[in-house]
Amino acid sequence: MLALKISDLKDFTNKLFIGNVFDHFWLNSADISTYNLFSIDGKLQKDFFDTEQQEILDSTHRIYSLWAEVKPYCHFIIRGKRPPLYFKIVFQLSSKKAKTLIEREAPGLPVDSLRGLYLNLQYKNKMLLCTTGTSFYTFVQDKQLEQLWDHTVLDFFHQNQILFEEL
């Protein structure tokens, strides 16, 4: 697990809520506290969609909303003169991208046992922390995939010029 403190809060939140840096992530969940607590479960409700859209979701194995789809609503909630009291956003790398990452960088790792690769963002007391996480269907002793995910997130932050300090 990797823990990072964001150094430039304004730049990061602009990239998060206005830019497109995080748009490709699945939104697992979001909680935003302003004058109310707003909670979003990112899991798609397939019954909402017509048959054609359901088939597309099934064929791509997509079970969560993309951040790009929910971001405007979250931005609307936090927008204003006062910063939010708190927010927590949990991103997940899509199963297809996770599988591609493993096949490219660590062939032989058990792809089928992976439940998800996560990036957790938590803003509280004017500080934003990012932590990584991995989840498996079964117990896995090997930490190679966790280390690969941590390294991937660090590369992602560097490529997008996100300033941080490791904790």
Side-chain angles (χ1 to χ4, degrees):
M1 182 182 92
L2 183 66
L4 308 172
K5 179 182 172 190
I6 298 302
S7 302
D8 188 341
L9 192 58
K10 184 176 181 179
D11 179 64
F12 185 89
T13 54
N14 280 336
K15 289 175 179 173
L16 178 63
F17 292 108
I18 299 170
N20 59 3
V21 172
F22 296 92
D23 284 0
H24 68 281
F25 281 101
W26 284 356
L27 175 65
N28 192 282
S29 64
D31 293 317
I32 302 171
S33 178
T34 57
Y35 60 92
N36 286 120
L37 175 62
F38 299 89
S39 291
I40 299 171
D41 177 351
K43 190 164 182 138
L44 293 169
Q45 303 298 315
K46 289 191 179 179
D47 292 341
F48 176 78
F49 300 99
D50 63 33
T51 306
E52 184 180 326
Q53 290 170 313
Q54 285 181 14
E55 289 172 2
I56 292 169
L57 292 173
D58 288 340
S59 70
T60 59
H61 305 288
R62 190 160 151 227
I63 54 176
Y64 291 99
S65 294
L66 293 171
W67 174 244
E69 298 165 338
V70 181
K71 175 177 63 175
Y73 302 102
C74 294
H75 183 242
F76 180 78
I77 293 168
I78 67 152
R79 191 173 59 180
K81 293 180 181 179
R82 302 174 83 183
L85 299 172
Y86 166 88
F87 70 74
K88 180 177 182 181
I89 298 171
V90 179
F91 289 133
Q92 182 175 345
L93 193 64
S94 75
S95 54
K96 181 179 179 180
K97 288 184 181 192
K99 183 178 179 182
T100 301
L101 174 68
I102 293 167
E103 289 172 348
R104 186 182 70 230
E105 300 293 332
L109 283 180
V111 176
D112 294 340
S113 64
L114 178 67
R115 183 178 303 219
L117 299 173
Y118 301 94
L119 178 60
N120 306 294
L121 311 176
Q122 184 173 349
Y123 171 80
K124 187 177 180 181
N125 298 326
K126 299 180 181 177
M127 182 170 61
L128 199 145
L129 299 177
C130 299
T131 57
T132 57
T134 54
S135 177
F136 298 92
Y137 291 108
T138 58
F139 177 73
V140 176
Q141 262 187 314
D142 188 352
K143 301 296 182 198
Q144 187 178 357
L145 184 53
E146 290 179 35
Q147 294 166 350
L148 173 61
W149 179 233
D150 291 348
H151 180 74
T152 301
V153 169
L154 287 173
D155 286 347
F156 174 76
F157 277 32
H158 286 299
Q159 289 170 2
N160 289 286
Q161 300 174 339
I162 296 172
L163 302 176
F164 61 88
E165 56 185 82
E166 288 193 52
L167 300 177

